[in-house]
Amino acid sequence: QKEVEQDPGPLSVPEGAIVSLNCTYSNSAFQYFMWYRQYSRKGPELLMYTYSSGNKEDGRFTAQVDKSSKYISLFIRDSQPSDSATYLCAMSAEGNSGTYKYIFGTGTRLKVLA
Amino acid sequence: NAGVTQTPKFQVLKTGQSMTLQCAQDMNHEYMSWYRQDPGMGLRLIHYSVGAGITDQGEVPNGYNVSRSTTEDFPLRLLSAAPSQTSVYFCASKVAGAGEQFFGPGTRLTVL
């Protein structure tokens, strides 16, 4: 079993739709949860960064973490064609010698149709 | 402030050739890492460094070497390229401890 599972999509939605992207994980030691956006042929860029359970909102984006279910979500409201990208979830836990282990999901490809 | 830069952007190698992928950051980050990204596999950690002179292996280190002589630079060396190393390589950096990793634009490598 992979430590992080993410539906690869592709997910196609009409402009203005609410998008829900999800990841599940198996390691209860993960403490920090992130969502990265990656445009085609570019490097990942951080969208949301949360610690522990709860919600965090930033403009049209809301990140949700449920540690009891080992489930994280990213919601995009009023989706735009410019949101078309691959979304990677990531999580980290403290490892040996104070370093942090980061694990990435495989990414969900999102296409927002104008 | 250029962030994380990588060169070259594209490279084609023949099996058995060696090369170095360059990575530099100007944010004075202690932690730097190299990932490879393959379809359906996500980002996998190759090697990482927690500071100048200190490196360690990640999940998929075989066939790659790294060194960290300065805070700014973290080159990745392919010793004898194999077709299985065809991938997109990303360098990332961050401050010590938990926190956001900043990624470079990537190097697309094809090994024939």
Side-chain angles (χ1 to χ4, degrees):
Chain A
Q1 183 191 5
K2 288 183 180 177
E3 281 192 278
V4 177
E5 300 275 1
Q6 184 175 10
D7 188 330
L11 181 63
S12 290
V13 300
E15 183 175 357
I18 296 174
V19 175
S20 172
L21 304 168
N22 311 295
C23 285
T24 59
Y25 63 95
S26 57
N27 188 347
S28 57
F30 288 133
Q31 303 163 297
Y32 300 90
F33 303 90
M34 292 143 277
W35 285 95
Y36 284 82
R37 178 174 61 196
Q38 186 176 21
Y39 289 115
S40 180
R41 296 181 176 265
K42 301 287 186 186
E45 56 176 337
L46 185 74
L47 267 182
M48 301 288 282
Y49 181 90
T50 57
Y51 173 71
S52 197
S53 285
N55 291 358
K56 182 176 181 179
E57 191 173 317
D58 184 1
R60 296 185 295 111
F61 299 91
T62 299
Q64 201 171 74
V65 174
D66 183 346
K67 289 189 76 177
S68 61
S69 301
K70 297 191 181 69
Y71 189 88
I72 68 171
S73 300
L74 177 71
F75 298 97
I76 307 174
R77 288 184 299 282
D78 187 25
S79 55
Q80 303 295 309
S82 58
D83 295 327
S84 298
T86 297
Y87 290 79
L88 306 166
C89 64
M91 38 208 81
S92 70
E94 187 169 4
N96 296 333
S97 308
T99 61
Y100 280 79
K101 170 184 175 182
Y102 284 75
I103 300 292
F104 289 82
T106 52
T108 299
R109 204 151 45 97
L110 171 67
K111 188 164 186 178
V112 181
L113 306 170
Chain B
N1 192 335
V4 180
T5 58
Q6 291 183 239
T7 56
K9 284 190 169 61
F10 303 93
Q11 184 69 50
V12 178
L13 292 178
K14 293 182 180 175
T15 296
Q17 286 185 315
S18 62
M19 79 159 295
T20 299
L21 279 63
Q22 301 292 344
C23 174
Q25 53 93 8
D26 61 0
M27 298 174 282
N28 202 32
H29 286 167
E30 296 94 337
Y31 184 95
M32 296 185 74
S33 54
W34 276 101
Y35 292 87
R36 58 178 290 172
Q37 187 175 40
D38 303 289
M41 303 290 288
L43 286 160
R44 292 183 292 167
L45 183 65
I46 304 171
H47 285 284
Y48 66 95
S49 167
V50 298
I54 306 169
T55 64
D56 206 346
Q57 297 181 348
E59 182 186 353
V60 288
N62 292 341
Y64 307 95
N65 269 1
V66 292
S67 59
R68 183 102 178 266
S69 55
T70 66
T71 299
E72 294 77 20
D73 299 297
F74 190 42
L76 177 73
R77 280 183 289 279
L78 279 70
L79 309 172
S80 177
S84 60
Q85 294 178 304
T86 292
S87 187
V88 183
Y89 292 85
F90 289 101
C91 179
S93 75
K94 69 178 186 69
V95 296
E100 175 187 2
Q101 291 201 70
F102 293 84
F103 285 84
T107 294
R108 291 184 170 271
L109 176 69
T110 300
V111 182
L112 303 174

